[in-house]
């Protein structure tokens, strides 16, 4: 069988039915094979970065491994930001790249780039297939690596001659990876110790990260929280792991988290960290972080444990199995006083904003979106102020419904990710909360959305600024708005129409609801341009380098 | 407090593995003192001996990060085991005055080093042993003048436990 055919047969064995891709010379044998392949649908994007983010959104919204495909050289390097985005957030993805024929590798051949070299620090693993006989086994390994343990992207570089070469095809039953054995079950003694620590603690808190989402362990986590009655704070990556309205949920912690989540962390005497990694956006100044707390850290990745913060009890395990074990090991607990204290903070320091009748406030738009959206609506975001407002003001009830680039903070992520999520979830409402800066980073994907009638809705919170940059310049750089004013850079309605999509301009508060209803009812993709108050800031905020207890809020007294 | 650790890493004998390891050290800012690679008794694997420096937290991360690499089959922290370490250096030592010759040769004898080549003004000396021993020898030779030097970096192996 030909290499390109072995590739597709192997992909099908891994359950792949969707690929986001873009062709080019060295990938032609693969695309030619795809031409006749009925069981795999290829979505032709308009920029390879879009393909990588779409595969990522496809994965985040389903848990399946997303697949993207690009040609060698510039096509492959265009994937890089998308691969790095997936890597930082531990998203299972397989990126396939065409490569120049093996005889030319290393010669600076036309459209050659050393993809295994370039992506080495941003993939879980990568392969250059030099012999067609290895192809099927490599694909088996790649999918196994991508979606077990701590998931992540795997790149497979496919030289053209290997795709054209012939070999016998037998799909291997198992990966052959003697150096890779993810540890999924928690050590029983450690679980017992954890249960003891939890039973002794007076002010415990569950600090939940994206790992819980990736392990599909949200149910177990909520059950544990309810059994031991502790507040739950989530990172940006874990929003949706516990319903926003759940009494125990104190929302997101960290730089733009809620005051009450941060206070609860700072005052706690036991942090139960699950699938979280103590990122600097979460801890603030490490030396001042949760000074009274012992820490139990559950993570599938041993390197995440003890990397930033000393941990009293490390548990290396899959969150799902560890939480299940912990759930049966702990007694039912109350923590009345502690929860009362948290409740008081909630009342005293709610997330708030000053609404206006003259201007559209971004938070107002988001509240309206939450009112009009359905339970299973999937939200993606770009990166900036709008992303933080979305994390703060939207409400969620289900896991895998909030897709955002947390670790890398990639502007341009949200729109192609929404396309990927919509492809995976054809019946659901998918909305990208965008900024006027970010949306222009992958705006070309409007063509993809229109061509395949992928009915994503984009809500641009248009402040005419690279708003998050402007906010930092206002607060920390004396108000010198260096290269952050992008006002009236584009007429988004005309732009949408130019691509054949629907565009709606919203300049008045009273039009917000109507526009959203129109957009949600529309059968195709829609770009909504909400002209919001220009210099609104994201509050509260822990300034970079300060402790979590030192949140600032201005103008919201 | 900065400590020194000798780490033995069995890896898949495949192209690109060395780059993964060295990339890990440079990308994460880990300090590497030496790295020696070579074949093992099994042709499908290579063994790397890495000497790294750092505080406890960093050294623990190094071990974990090495383990995390897919192509790494086994990581052994030699500092936790009874083991032997050997470093090898080739040194060209200047003979500034023929009268120094016997002095150098005496030192070579004491260190069980070997003179591999000699010209009128240079001894080419091979010295092996622990890193400390090799360092001490080099210090002594500096008085005479070292024209050129090359070192393999430490390689290490655990002692076989004697069955009683
Ligand atoms: C690709 C990329 N380039 C630069 C940045 C730095 N950055 C972070 S937020 C931001 C501004 C985003 O502007 P916009 O999309 O309009 O969102 P807003 O903050 O105004 O809501 C920039 C430039 C980034 N995160 N990603
Ligand atoms: Mg903006």
């Amino acid at each position: 069988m030909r290499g390109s055919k072995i590739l597709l047969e192997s992909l099908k064995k891994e359950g792949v039915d969707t690929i986001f891709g873009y062709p080019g010379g060295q990938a032609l044998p693969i695309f030619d094979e795809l031409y006749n392949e009925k069981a795999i649908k290829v979505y032709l994007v308009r920029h390879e970065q879009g393909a990588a983010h779409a595969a990522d959104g496809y994965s985040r919204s389903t848990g399946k491994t997303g697949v993207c495909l690009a040609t060698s050289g510039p096509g492959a390097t265009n994937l890089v930001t998308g691969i790095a985005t997936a890597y930082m957030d531990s998203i299972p993805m397989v990126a396939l790249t065409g490569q120049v024929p093996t005889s030319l590798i290393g010669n600076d051949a036309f459209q050659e780039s050393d993809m295994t070299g370039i992506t080495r620090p941003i993939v879980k693993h990568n392969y250059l297939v030099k012999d067609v006989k290895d192809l099927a086994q490599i694909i088996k390994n790649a999918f196994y690596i991508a979606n077990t343990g701590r998931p992540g992207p795997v790149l497979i570089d496919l030289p053209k001659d290997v795709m054209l070469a012939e070999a016998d095809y037998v799909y291997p039953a198992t990966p052959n990876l003697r150096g890779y054995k993810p540890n999924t079950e928690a050590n029983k003694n450690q679980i017992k110790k954890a249960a003891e620590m939890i039973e002794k603690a007076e002010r415990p808190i569950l600090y939940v990260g994206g790992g819980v989402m990736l392990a599909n362990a949200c149910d177990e986590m909520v059950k544990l929280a309810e059994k031991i009655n502790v507040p739950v704070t989530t990172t940006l990556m874990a929003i949706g792991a516990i319903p926003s309205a759940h009494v125990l949920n104190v929302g997101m912690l960290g730089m733009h988290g809620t005051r009450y989540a941060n206070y609860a962390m700072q005052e706690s005497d036991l942090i139960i960290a699950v699938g979280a990694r103590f990122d600097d956006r979460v801890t603030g100044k490490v030396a001042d972080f949760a000074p009274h707390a012992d820490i139990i850290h559950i993570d599938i990745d041993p390197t995440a444990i003890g990397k930033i913060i000393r941990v009293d009890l490390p548990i290396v395990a899959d969150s799902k199995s560890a939480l299940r074990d912990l759930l049966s090991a702990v007694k039912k607990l109350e923590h009345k006083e502690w929860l009362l204290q948290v409740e008081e903070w909630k009342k005293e320091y709610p997330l708030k904003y000053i609404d206006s009748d003259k201007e559209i406030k971004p938070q107002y738009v988001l509240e309206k979106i939450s009112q009009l959206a359905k339970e299973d609506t999937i939200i993606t975001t770009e990166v900036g102020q709008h992303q933080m407002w979305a994390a703060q003001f939207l409400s969620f009830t289900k896991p895998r419904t909030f897709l955002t680039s947390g670790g890398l903070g990639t502007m341009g992520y949200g729109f192609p990710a929404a396309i990927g999520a919509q492809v995976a979830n054809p019946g659901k409402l998918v909305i990208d909360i965008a900024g006027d800066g970010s949306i222009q980073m992958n705006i070309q994907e409007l063509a993809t959305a229109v061509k395949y009638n992928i009915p994503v809705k984009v809500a641009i919170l248009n402040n005419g600024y690279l708003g998050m940059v402007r906010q930092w310049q206002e607060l920390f750089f004396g108000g010198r708005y260096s290269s952050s004013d992008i006002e009236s850079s584009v007429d988004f309605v005309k732009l949408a129409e130019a691509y054949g999509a629907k565009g709606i301009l919203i300049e008045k508060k009273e039009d917000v609801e109507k526009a959203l209803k129109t957009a949600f009812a529309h059968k195709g993709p829609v770009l909504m341009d909400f002209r919001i108050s220009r210099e609104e800031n994201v509050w509260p905020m822990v300034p970079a380098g300060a402790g979590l207890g030192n949140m600032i809020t201005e103008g919201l007294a | 407090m900065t400590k020194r650790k000798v780490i033995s890493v069995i890896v898949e004998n495949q192209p690109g593995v060395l780059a993964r390891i060295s990339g890990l050290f440079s990308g994460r800012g880990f300090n590497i003192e030496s790295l020696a690679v070579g074949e093992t008794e099994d042709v499908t694997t290579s063994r790397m001996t890495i000497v790294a420096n750092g505080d406890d937290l960093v050294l623990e991360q190094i071990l974990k990060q090495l383990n995390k690499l897919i192509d790494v089959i086994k990581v052994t922290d030699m500092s936790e085991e009874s083991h032997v370490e050997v470093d090898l250096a080739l040194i060209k030592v200047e003979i500034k005055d023929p009268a120094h010759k016997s002095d150098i040769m005496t030192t070579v004898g004491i260190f069980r080093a070997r003179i591999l080549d000699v010209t009128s003004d240079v001894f080419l000396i091979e010295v092996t042993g622990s890193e400390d021993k090799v360092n001490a020898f080099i210090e002594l030779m500096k008085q005479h003048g070292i024209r050129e030097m090359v070192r393999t970096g430490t390689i290490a192996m655990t002692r076989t436990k004697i069955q009683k």
Side-chain angles (χ1 to χ4, degrees):
Chain A
M1 196 184 281
R2 226 160 79 152
S4 53
K5 180 88 178 147
I6 294 177
L7 173 69
L8 300 195
E9 290 306 315
S10 304
L11 291 176
K12 285 192 283 181
K13 284 272 195 249
E14 293 298 330
V16 175
D17 56 14
T18 305
I19 291 179
F20 301 92
Y22 204 94
Q26 305 300 349
L28 282 180
I30 304 171
F31 278 89
D32 190 52
E33 203 68 55
L34 281 163
Y35 189 74
N36 295 317
E37 180 54 68
K38 297 280 176 310
I40 299 177
K41 173 144 184 159
V42 182
Y43 288 86
L44 171 65
V45 294
R46 290 298 182 273
H47 185 297
E48 290 86 352
Q49 186 185 352
H53 291 325
D56 173 315
Y58 182 92
S59 173
R60 288 191 209 220
S61 63
T62 59
K64 291 199 268 183
T65 302
V67 180
C68 55
L69 166 62
T71 190
S72 69
T77 55
N78 271 349
L79 290 177
V80 167
T81 302
I83 295 172
T85 302
Y87 180 70
M88 289 295 278
D89 291 340
S90 306
I91 305 306
M93 176 193 288
V94 170
L96 306 167
T97 48
Q99 181 56 282
V100 301
T102 46
S103 58
L104 293 182
I105 287 178
N107 287 357
D108 299 323
F110 178 62
Q111 298 197 324
E112 176 185 3
S113 57
D114 172 9
M115 284 318 291
T116 48
I118 287 171
T119 60
R120 193 179 304 117
I122 54 161
V123 292
K124 189 168 169 188
H125 197 54
N126 58 25
Y127 291 98
L128 167 64
V129 186
K130 285 191 178 151
D131 187 334
V132 67
K133 290 202 276 305
D134 302 334
L135 181 59
Q137 184 68 60
I138 284 175
I139 293 165
K140 182 82 209 170
N141 291 356
F143 277 82
Y144 181 71
I145 292 167
N147 214 348
T148 52
R150 180 178 180 168
V154 178
L155 179 130
I156 310 177
D157 207 17
L158 300 160
K160 189 176 184 181
D161 57 326
V162 174
M163 290 296 93
L164 294 171
E166 297 278 337
D168 292 338
Y169 169 68
V170 188
Y171 199 62
T174 51
N176 65 344
L177 295 161
R178 51 185 168 173
Y180 177 68
K181 288 182 192 69
N183 182 15
T184 55
E185 295 288 317
N187 175 300
K188 295 279 169 291
N189 276 329
Q190 301 290 88
I191 292 287
K192 225 176 93 196
K193 274 192 213 147
E196 284 164 18
M197 284 170 79
I198 291 169
E199 278 159 23
K200 267 201 218 103
E202 284 171 9
R203 301 181 306 281
I205 183 167
L206 258 166
Y207 153 47
V208 172
V212 171
M213 199 78 76
L214 294 165
N216 298 313
C218 300
D219 259 9
E220 288 80 357
M221 182 274 292
V222 175
K223 279 197 189 113
L224 177 67
E226 287 169 349
K227 185 165 181 190
I228 61 175
N229 273 298
V230 294
V232 178
T233 181
T234 60
T235 66
L236 183 67
M237 302 316 300
I239 287 178
I242 176 168
S244 305
H246 195 290
V247 281
L248 293 173
N249 188 356
V250 293
M252 182 171 77
L253 78 168
M255 181 174 277
H256 289 301
T258 64
R259 261 180 199 269
Y260 40 97
N262 285 343
Y263 287 174
M265 283 296 271
Q266 289 304 86
E267 290 303 314
S268 69
D269 64 354
L270 177 69
I271 293 172
I272 310 159
V274 194
R277 59 185 178 89
F278 296 88
D279 180 82
D280 53 277
R281 284 290 186 268
V282 158
T283 59
K285 187 176 172 191
V286 171
D288 295 350
F289 178 73
H292 321 292
D294 284 339
I295 299 176
I296 299 171
H297 193 176
I298 302 173
D299 206 292
I300 186 100
D301 179 3
T303 69
I305 299 178
K307 181 172 68 178
I308 292 169
I309 275 186
R310 73 168 171 84
V311 164
D312 301 277
L313 184 68
I315 300 181
V316 178
D318 175 68
S319 331
K320 197 178 181 83
S321 85
L323 284 167
R324 204 190 286 135
D325 292 351
L326 205 49
L327 188 61
S328 54
V330 288
K331 290 203 290 261
K332 209 172 156 25
L333 300 166
E334 289 295 341
H335 302 117
K336 281 219 176 74
E337 246 175 81
W338 172 229
L339 288 178
L340 214 64
Q341 167 70 76
V342 173
E343 209 46 46
E344 258 166 45
W345 284 326
K346 258 194 191 179
K347 284 211 190 84
E348 201 169 334
Y349 309 106
L351 276 177
K352 58 182 173 185
Y353 67 98
I354 299 169
D355 204 2
S356 161
D357 287 327
K358 291 192 216 67
E359 296 179 300
I360 304 177
K361 289 294 180 102
Q363 302 93 335
Y364 173 80
V365 178
L366 292 161
E367 285 175 350
K368 280 287 156 205
I369 289 177
S370 268
Q371 281 169 25
L372 296 171
K374 304 185 195 78
E375 268 225 320
D376 59 359
T377 294
I378 296 171
I379 303 284
T380 70
T381 80
E382 307 290 340
V383 171
Q385 291 182 311
H386 61 278
Q387 177 191 30
M388 291 298 112
W389 287 318
Q392 293 176 331
F393 289 94
L394 289 173
S395 57
F396 294 89
T397 50
K398 289 196 155 66
R400 297 189 181 277
T401 56
F402 184 62
L403 322 183
T404 192
S405 168
L408 199 65
T410 309
M411 290 172 69
Y413 167 78
F415 183 39
I419 289 175
Q422 184 80 80
V423 165
N425 300 271
K428 293 184 187 168
L429 176 61
V430 181
I431 309 168
D432 172 31
I433 308 295
D436 48 322
S438 299
I439 192 62
Q440 296 185 64
M441 289 220 172
N442 274 314
I443 192 73
Q444 77 287 343
E445 297 311 325
L446 263 174
T448 312
V450 169
K451 161 145 188 245
Y452 298 100
N453 196 25
I454 300 166
V456 294
K457 318 301 175 201
V458 182
I460 304 172
L461 301 179
N462 186 347
N463 50 14
Y465 280 115
L466 301 174
M468 188 56 93
V469 172
R470 188 207 56 75
Q471 175 169 345
W472 281 57
Q473 289 169 333
E474 177 191 329
L475 299 176
F476 312 116
F477 292 89
R480 292 179 295 279
Y481 294 165
S482 177
S483 296
S484 55
D485 190 334
I486 53 168
E487 205 187 6
S488 66
S489 47
V490 64
D491 180 334
F492 285 110
V493 172
K494 276 195 192 149
L495 185 72
E497 287 166 357
Y499 276 105
K502 186 178 177 64
I504 309 176
L505 174 66
I506 306 98
E507 292 179 295
K508 291 203 223 70
K509 187 180 178 186
E510 58 265 32
D511 297 334
V512 168
E513 190 164 330
K514 196 179 79 208
L516 287 170
K517 283 182 173 157
T518 310
F520 295 173
H522 186 70
K523 294 271 185 275
V526 182
L527 211 61
M528 290 166 274
D529 181 3
F530 292 97
R531 299 294 170 87
I532 61 163
S533 64
R534 290 200 69 201
E535 304 206 352
E536 188 75 12
N537 283 335
V538 182
W539 299 121
M541 175 176 194
V542 181
L548 274 195
N550 301 322
M551 294 204 91
I552 53 171
T553 314
E554 273 170 30
L556 283 182
Chain B
M1 198 194 63
T2 303
K3 291 184 191 158
R4 170 179 181 273
K5 211 181 241 324
V6 181
I7 307 162
S8 172
V9 191
I10 306 280
V11 300
E12 296 286 354
N13 185 8
Q14 261 166 21
V17 177
L18 182 59
R20 288 186 208 278
I21 304 253
S22 61
L24 177 68
F25 275 76
S26 63
R28 295 196 177 262
F30 297 148
N31 264 324
I32 202 162
E33 190 178 289
S34 70
L35 189 161
V37 204
E39 284 179 7
T40 67
E41 68 286 355
D42 173 356
V43 289
T44 67
T45 68
S46 311
R47 188 199 278 257
M48 299 191 183
T49 308
I50 299 172
V51 181
N53 290 314
D55 60 22
D56 286 336
L57 212 69
V58 168
L59 292 171
E60 187 188 316
Q61 265 297 309
I62 291 176
L63 292 173
K64 287 176 172 178
Q65 292 285 354
L66 284 168
N67 255 313
K68 191 172 164 179
L69 293 175
I70 309 282
D71 282 337
V72 167
I73 299 165
K74 189 162 188 264
V75 178
T76 312
D77 176 359
M78 292 301 218
S79 326
E80 299 285 303
E81 318 248 345
S82 170
H83 70 283
V84 286
E85 287 176 28
V86 176
D87 190 359
L88 184 150
L90 296 178
I91 311 164
K92 276 188 189 152
V93 180
E94 312 211 8
I95 309 164
K96 288 185 181 136
D97 180 340
H100 294 165
K101 273 192 182 172
S102 65
D103 184 24
I104 295 172
M105 285 165 72
T106 311
T107 314
V108 164
I110 293 170
F111 278 82
R112 294 172 191 273
R114 288 201 298 155
I115 296 171
L116 301 182
D117 192 23
V118 60
T119 60
S120 59
D121 60 345
V122 165
F123 276 133
L124 199 172
I125 303 171
E126 173 205 291
V127 59
T128 71
S130 70
E131 196 182 283
D132 282 351
K133 175 185 158 189
V134 174
N135 286 344
F137 184 79
I138 290 166
E139 273 316 304
L140 291 170
M141 289 304 115
K142 275 185 186 162
Q143 306 163 14
H144 300 283
I146 293 177
R147 194 175 289 177
E148 220 183 308
M149 182 173 88
V150 57
R151 289 177 78 159
T152 57
T154 297
I155 57 170
M157 195 172 266
T158 53
R159 291 181 198 277
T160 307
K161 291 187 188 81
I162 297 163
Q163 310 284 337
K164 282 190 187 144

